[in-house]
Amino acid sequence: FIKIPNFWLIMRNTLVLSVYSIVLNTILPIILALFINEIRGKLFKKTVQTISYAPYFISTVVVVGMLFSFCNTESGIFNTIGSILGLQPKNLMESSFWFSTVYVVSGLWQGLGWWAIIYIGTLANVDQNLHEAAVLDGAGRLKRIWYVNVPVILPMAIIMFILSIGNMLSVGFEKVFLMQTSANLTTSEIISTYVYRVSLMSKIPQYSYATAIGLFNAVINVILLITANFISRKVSETSLW
C-alpha cells in the first residue's frame, strides 16, 4: 500500500478531510451549545434545538442528492444566487478544489445540533451559585460564559477531541463515495474508498490486500489515540485513562 504511486495523495486527502472536520466539529458544537444555553425563552429555545437537531435524521444518500441538486449549474440554488450576484455558474460537486469544503460544511449542517447535545447536557449541571456570585462581582454575560460555562465543558470537549484524533484516518466511507465524481477524484479518494475499490470493484478482488490496509489504518489510529491521550494528560490532566 505504501509503495503504490498515489499513496501520499490518498493519505493527504484523508488527513485534509479529517483535520478539517475535527477542527470545526470540536469548536462549533461548543459555540452552538453555549448559544442555546443562553436562550431564555423556552419556546424559542426548543424551536432552535429542534431545527438544529432535525438534519441529523436525514439519510446520507438524501443529503448527497440534495447537494448535487443545489450545485447544479442550470437550476441549482447556489448558482441561481450566484448569477444574481454576477458570478459565473460553477458545479461545486465537480470541483476538486471545493470538495473538502462541501463535504465538511454539509456535514456540519447535518450533525452540528446533534453533536452539541452532550455539551448542552453538561451545561445543565453548571452550579447556578457560580453565576450568581459572578453577577455580584460585576461580570457581564460574556465573562460569565467564558469564566463559568467554558471551564465546565472543557474536560468533555477534550475527551471528545481525543476520541476524534483516534478516528483521524477513519473518514466516513458512504458520503465520500457518493460525492465522488471523475472530476473531483484527486481530492476525494481516501483510504476507505480505495479499500472498497481494490476489494469489491476490481476485476480480481484483493481481499487480503484490503484487510492489510485496514490493519494499517487501525494501527495508526491507535497510535494517534495513545499519543493524544498522553499529551492531554500531561497538559490538562484530562484524559481517557
Side-chain angles (χ1 to χ4, degrees):
F1 176 53
I2 294 175
K3 291 181 180 179
I4 64 173
N6 58 341
F7 169 77
W8 292 111
L9 176 66
I10 294 173
M11 289 298 296
R12 186 202 67 184
N13 295 341
T14 304
L15 290 174
V16 166
L17 286 182
S18 184
V19 173
Y20 199 170
S21 298
I22 288 174
V23 171
L24 295 183
N25 294 349
T26 300
I27 298 173
L28 295 184
I30 295 175
I31 295 175
L32 178 61
L34 292 171
F35 168 74
I36 292 177
N37 187 66
E38 293 300 311
I39 299 176
R40 294 292 174 257
K42 291 185 178 180
L43 180 60
F44 181 56
K45 185 173 184 177
K46 289 182 178 180
T47 302
V48 172
Q49 286 178 303
T50 302
I51 292 174
S52 62
Y53 298 163
Y56 182 80
F57 300 98
I58 301 176
S59 167
T60 301
V61 177
V62 174
V63 171
V64 175
M66 292 167 61
L67 290 175
F68 275 102
S69 177
F70 293 162
C71 295
N72 187 279
T73 54
E74 296 180 358
S75 59
I77 185 172
F78 294 152
N79 283 301
T80 301
I81 296 174
S83 63
I84 296 174
L85 299 175
L87 301 176
Q88 293 294 326
K90 185 177 183 63
N91 191 338
L92 299 181
M93 299 299 289
E94 297 288 342
S95 171
S96 58
F97 178 79
W98 287 102
F99 176 83
S100 58
T101 300
V102 173
Y103 174 86
V104 173
V105 171
S106 61
L108 282 172
W109 170 78
Q110 188 175 15
L112 186 60
W114 184 261
W115 300 328
I117 289 178
I118 190 170
Y119 299 117
I120 295 173
T122 304
L123 288 170
N125 298 321
V126 175
D127 188 354
Q128 294 303 311
N129 292 328
L130 295 176
H131 281 286
E132 293 175 1
V135 171
L136 292 175
D137 289 338
R141 175 172 291 188
L142 292 178
K143 285 189 176 181
R144 284 189 283 115
I145 291 174
W146 183 255
Y147 291 107
V148 178
N149 290 344
V150 171
V152 170
I153 63 177
L154 189 58
M156 180 60 67
I158 293 173
I159 294 298
M160 298 301 292
F161 180 72
I162 294 173
L163 292 174
S164 299
I165 293 295
N167 289 309
M168 181 171 287
L169 297 186
S170 300
V171 179
F173 160 80
E174 183 182 10
K175 186 178 179 182
V176 174
F177 184 73
L178 291 172
M179 290 178 62
Q180 277 186 347
T181 65
S182 58
N184 65 27
L185 201 58
T186 55
T187 54
S188 64
E189 185 75 311
I190 59 175
I191 293 177
S192 58
T193 57
Y194 176 73
V195 169
Y196 176 75
R197 294 182 193 283
V198 299
S199 61
L200 296 177
M201 294 186 67
S202 61
K203 294 181 179 180
I204 303 177
Q206 304 177 62
Y207 298 120
S208 58
Y209 177 51
T211 303
I213 297 175
L215 178 60
F216 165 83
N217 192 24
V219 169
I220 298 299
N221 280 335
V222 169
I223 293 173
L224 290 172
L225 176 64
I226 294 174
T227 303
N229 187 76
F230 175 78
I231 294 173
S232 176
R233 186 171 66 245
K234 292 296 183 180
V235 174
S236 65
E237 297 183 355
T238 300
S239 61
L240 295 175
W241 66 84

